[in-house]
Amino acid sequence: MDRNGVLVNVRDLLRGPVARHLFALSVPILADLAIINLYFLVDLYFIARLGDAPTAGVSAAGSVLFLFTAFMQIMNVGTSLLMANAAGRRDREAIRRILQQSLLLGGGLGVVVLLLGYWLSPPYLRSLTADETAARFGISYLFWLFPGLWIQFAVSTMRAALRGLGAVRVATTVQLITVGLNIALAPVLIAGIGTSHALGVPGAALARTLAIVVSAIILWRYLDRHIGFRAAGWRPESTQLRRVLWLGLPASGEMLLMFAYTSVCYWAIRDLGSDTQAAFAVTSRVLQVLYLPVMAVAFALVPLAGQNLGGGNTDRAVRAFKTALASNLSFSLLVAIACELYPMAFVQGLSPPGSAVAQASLMLDVLTWSLVPIAIVFSCSSAMQALGNTLFSLLTSCIRLASFAAPLLFIPLAPERSLEMMLNLSVWTLVLQAIVSLVWLAKTYRARAARGAWVPVAQEQAPLR
């Protein structure tokens, strides 16, 4: 901390050009997200060499990870937003209290989700995968990964705290080190390169778990040195825990909806075989990588707008949203055109040999146009998060899931028609969500401007002074 009680390396977002701040924050966040997805792609590359069943099983297991991510979002969103508001007010004691109470909450939630994962994941995967072999691969992957995911609760909380403070470079540097370790371990543990002891699918999970442990140690030591954990701070404070839960639960619900969305997708194509499920998994992963820049700009918008709203600079917060939305739309349109022209170039090498490559290319040709509405949805959701309204994303996601799942679940179709409907519904329901998000955000901005009530809900409901 410096003499003003502000964490060293925290960016002052209350002054200077908005576009420059947005760019400066989004670049390390993008690097962070790219690094995370890079080791997913490395795992996918080596696992794809093992065949369709391992690829389909591990990909289906990825939907179970939404359950963990959903609960992690409670700390991610609640911690990041409260930290941003506290940093805008230069409240040193609030920063420390938010961090420690969020870590305490994360540890307890992690235990609950860990037990649920061991109990529910086997029957869940057997209901999704095309055959028992794929299910066994998915179960093996998860059982080796679950201990690391419990530690990931603490890692996610500490990284969210740094994002809220604007210290994104620190989080990115740590992620670069630990994910580099994961990438180095993946071929060794999965394929046995250099050891002649290939672990296969469990090796991918073990590599990731070891990287998470290293990340937790580095982040803990850094935050303890710069913020300073206090023994008294580990006593549960019901008021503070409720603040984090109040802000984070809607985001958690949104991730659970994504879990439901993924489950519906795998259910809809379950009769088409492991090669189709593998192709869908590859297409989904490629799309996730392609909209990383959109996510980076949206994530950067939260601390930028949140700190300025906390400091009373409402015009800068609105200007930050407009800049983020324009940037995300421009990028998404360019990428969509590239995928439309050269879909095979984006999936070649990541799909198992055989028909999965051609199927993934055809899927990407349709799904690539979801990138444009995704840019709108992410930008609007981040703007509302900065205002403390985390219910916004949850409710718009409910609208999307309902309009997506109802036709697939209740209209009887041949398997091939289910795949076609699923792909087109995925795009058009995102368009619907984007329209609802824009209209809702515009009404919220006009209403707050009319009554001059721009104080973030986090401060209105849960003052930290």
Side-chain angles (χ1 to χ4, degrees), residues 7 119 347 404:
L7 183 66
W119 177 35
V347 299
F404 174 79

Side-chain angles (χ1 to χ4, degrees), residues 177-193:
I177 295 170
T178 54
V179 173
L181 175 62
N182 182 276
I183 293 173
L185 288 174
V188 175
L189 297 176
I190 296 173
I193 295 177

Side-chain angles (χ1 to χ4, degrees), residues 31 43 71 165 170 277-278:
D43 286 351
F71 283 92
L165 294 169
V170 177
Q277 288 191 330

Side-chain angles (χ1 to χ4, degrees), residues 58-81:
V58 172
S59 300
S63 65
V64 176
L65 301 184
F66 276 123
L67 180 64
F68 282 80
T69 306
F71 283 92
M72 289 179 195
Q73 281 294 92
I74 295 175
M75 283 77 65
N76 285 347
V77 174
T79 303
S80 179
L81 181 54

Side-chain angles (χ1 to χ4, degrees), residues 403-425:
S403 57
F404 174 79
L408 291 174
L409 294 176
F410 300 111
I411 298 178
L413 295 170
E416 293 78 9
R417 290 285 295 159
S418 294
L419 176 61
E420 180 184 355
M421 177 176 280
M422 184 191 76
L423 297 177
N424 285 285
L425 277 174

